[in-house]
Amino acid sequence: MPVEIFDFKFGINHCYLIKDKGAIIIDSGPPFAGKNFLKKLADYSIAPKEIKLIVLTHGDFDHAGCAKEMQEICGAKIAIHEKDRINLEEGIFNWPKGVTTWGKISRSLLLPLLKNNVNLKTVKADIVLDGREMSLEKYGIDGKIIYTPGHTIGSVSVLLDSGEAFVGCMAHSGFPFRLSPGLPIYAENIDLLKESWKLLIDRGGTMIYPAHGNPFPAEEIKKYIYR
């Protein structure tokens, strides 16, 4: 049976549940998405206990904010890179700098509002990732976690052997970020991010699943990184 990909959309965030011989979920969404998470599990006829791993692509509030609540629901282990671990475990609000005109404007307008009103629930990481790849075989998934820094210094991606790549904020492909697929409008190091893209494509990434916007072929991003 081919791998199944379920889109768990929480507001403007897309989290992805991957189901094959086992099941994992990529990102947890923003704080207080737990009830919505339970509803979507029921809609897809997935039992919470089927999920054994929560992979956080990075430690920003809208990707890791519901990790504690999600873990309480399904009992899964939480994996995050060591360089973003502190955001998760100490509830630190992080938002990378704007690297486009719209990124700079939107961040300056929204940062004061969100920073003072987002309540982050802290939780300990069960698996602390480093620069090495981590196989997902023991979780029943034919794929791996790859270190892809740039959006944050601790960003990671999940790459399936079949070519689907779940990249968090390595790309944006929809409103209110971009109108078409492209590099993110926020990043801590955009040059490092481009190198991470080259690695991901070289390793076989063919279909890209961003956290903000719709999936798109890897060809769409090549024009931004090979120029």
Side-chain angles (χ1 to χ4, degrees):
M1 187 174 73
V3 63
E4 296 180 277
I5 300 170
F6 300 92
D7 186 349
F8 282 55
K9 191 169 186 295
F10 305 128
I12 59 173
N13 283 68
H14 293 263
C15 304
Y16 298 97
L17 189 146
I18 314 302
K19 187 175 180 181
D20 193 354
K21 297 174 287 292
I24 68 170
I25 194 162
I26 301 165
D27 283 341
S28 71
F32 309 111
K35 288 184 178 179
N36 199 355
F37 174 58
L38 275 171
K39 181 180 183 303
K40 290 182 182 297
L41 285 175
D43 290 343
Y44 291 133
S45 299
I46 298 169
K49 294 300 181 182
E50 291 184 65
I51 303 168
K52 301 301 182 183
L53 183 66
I54 303 163
V55 181
L56 301 178
T57 60
H58 55 293
D60 290 356
F61 73 96
D62 55 334
H63 296 262
C66 197
K68 178 178 176 63
E69 201 172 350
M70 191 176 281
Q71 184 181 60
E72 290 171 348
I73 290 169
C74 63
K77 292 182 178 180
I78 297 172
I80 192 169
H81 193 274
E82 60 185 358
K83 293 183 177 178
D84 271 23
R85 176 183 185 179
I86 190 172
N87 298 344
L88 176 72
E89 296 188 341
E90 298 186 16
I92 295 173
F93 182 96
N94 186 66
W95 189 343
K97 66 184 180 182
V99 291
T100 66
T101 299
W102 174 234
K104 293 172 183 177
I105 292 172
S106 59
R107 188 180 186 276
S108 66
L109 290 173
L110 295 174
L111 179 61
L113 176 65
L114 291 173
K115 189 173 184 179
N116 294 327
N117 290 282
V118 172
N119 181 21
L120 299 174
K121 293 184 178 181
T122 61
V123 62
K124 292 290 184 181
D126 300 290
I127 299 171
V128 180
L129 306 166
D130 54 24
R132 295 170 292 183
E133 295 180 3
M134 175 182 154
S135 170
L136 293 168
E137 182 180 4
K138 69 178 292 185
Y139 297 98
I141 302 296
D142 293 329
K144 59 190 75 70
I145 303 174
I146 298 177
Y147 180 42
T148 51
H151 174 68
T152 69
I153 197 62
S155 291
V156 301
S157 299
V158 171
L159 176 63
L160 302 185
D161 292 352
S162 48
E164 297 88 352
F166 304 84
V167 301
C169 281
M170 279 185 69
H172 292 147
S173 69
F175 182 83
F177 301 90
R178 298 180 61 102
L179 299 180
S180 60
L183 297 177
I185 64 173
Y186 314 112
E188 290 178 0
N189 187 326
I190 195 68
D191 292 326
L192 184 58
L193 183 141
K194 291 177 182 179
E195 293 304 311
S196 292
W197 264 117
K198 292 175 184 177
L199 171 65
L200 197 60
I201 292 171
D202 287 347
R203 292 305 309 275
T206 57
M207 190 66 187
I208 309 304
Y209 290 77
H212 302 291
N214 296 319
F216 59 89
E219 294 297 325
E220 293 283 343
I221 205 75
K222 289 182 180 180
K223 60 188 175 184
Y224 295 101
I225 60 174
Y226 293 108
R227 66 180 183 184

